[in-house]
Amino acid sequence: RYLTDLPPDEHAARLRFVVLLAYATGLRASELADARCGRLQRRAVGEAGEEMVRLRVLGKGGRIRWVPIAPAVMDALGEYLRERGLPADPAHCDPAIPLLARLSRTVGQGADVANCNEPLTTAAIYRIFKQPFGDISRQLERKGLIEDAAQLARASTHWMRHTFGSHAAADQVPLTVVQKVLGHASLATTTLYSQAEDEVVWREVGRFVARRAS
């Protein structure tokens, strides 16, 4: 409700996208900051040639993993890219363009378009999440929900990662799928999955995001 009630501006567009992206992927703040258009991979799967999208992520310890990007997240990315003056299809963007970027600045009579395509730091992404959590905490406090307010005040980027894991498990997404998406250290060192495994991971996360983020 908080995100829906935001005014239609660049800040709101970025916040709506980053919250959905973090929730639907369980990426760490550093991984969100490092995400680029050129690291999105598309592949046709199934008899109908359905398009599967994955993001190549460099995680802890230099381990590479492929994180499925649900159709709902791709739709939101397209809207956010258009807000930044870029093609809605990330395949038509410069590969180095970050998925998350700084806000544009008003310069003279126009917008500084280049600035709004500069990447965010991990610290900046942390602050982006703390702002809405803080606002919601204050709203809850005004309603007398003191314990809830205190809990939201402690929320951070990493909470979105845990929320993905707990909600996915609650929705009966196979734990092996959740572990692969989060890139837990307990996984085997290899991160190259078979095509069948890739498709299962992508489909399961797509169903989860469609249920939870609609």
Side-chain angles (χ1 to χ4, degrees):
R1 288 196 297 270
Y2 174 87
L3 294 174
T4 301
D5 292 342
L6 290 173
D9 58 19
E10 185 186 357
H11 170 265
R14 184 179 70 179
L15 188 57
R16 291 191 186 101
F17 173 65
V18 69
V19 168
L20 177 60
L21 178 64
Y23 177 72
T25 62
L27 291 176
R28 301 175 178 91
S30 59
E31 295 168 347
L32 291 168
D34 192 49
R36 299 291 187 271
C37 286
R39 295 176 191 162
L40 290 167
Q41 179 198 73
R42 303 179 190 223
R43 180 190 296 172
V45 295
E47 295 181 359
E50 191 176 6
E51 184 181 71
M52 176 181 75
V53 182
R54 303 184 303 166
L55 176 68
R56 186 177 185 270
V57 176
L58 180 63
K60 280 187 174 181
R63 291 189 297 270
I64 293 173
R65 71 184 189 278
W66 290 93
V67 174
I69 304 297
V73 179
M74 289 300 296
D75 290 342
L77 173 59
E79 294 178 9
Y80 176 47
L81 290 174
R82 279 195 298 267
E83 183 72 29
R84 291 159 55 186
L86 294 167
D89 187 345
H92 297 157
C93 297
D94 186 310
I97 290 291
L99 296 194
L100 298 169
R102 296 172 59 185
L103 299 177
S104 61
R105 295 191 305 265
T106 300
V107 178
Q109 299 298 316
D112 181 359
V113 177
N115 185 68
C116 72
N117 292 316
E118 292 179 7
L120 293 164
T121 64
T122 300
I125 289 178
Y126 178 84
R127 291 193 297 270
I128 287 172
F129 276 94
K130 290 300 290 185
Q131 180 257 316
F133 286 139
D135 287 348
I136 297 169
S137 174
R138 287 185 286 274
Q139 291 176 11
L140 293 173
E141 190 172 9
R142 286 194 293 270
K143 294 178 181 179
L145 302 173
I146 306 303
E147 291 183 2
D148 290 340
Q151 188 171 15
L152 263 294
R154 294 194 300 272
S156 66
T157 313
H158 206 68
W159 282 42
M160 300 301 293
R161 180 172 166 84
H162 287 304
T163 300
F164 166 83
S166 59
H167 283 192
D171 269 19
Q172 298 183 336
V173 175
L175 292 181
T176 53
V177 170
V178 178
Q179 289 175 339
K180 285 184 177 180
V181 173
L182 294 178
H184 286 155
S186 58
L187 293 175
T189 54
T190 178
T191 56
L192 299 176
Y193 314 142
S194 70
Q195 182 172 347
E197 289 175 328
D198 288 340
E199 185 173 340
V200 169
V201 171
W202 178 78
R203 290 187 186 282
E204 289 292 343
V205 173
R207 294 187 185 110
F208 157 67
V209 174
R211 289 193 301 268
R212 287 284 189 167
S214 61

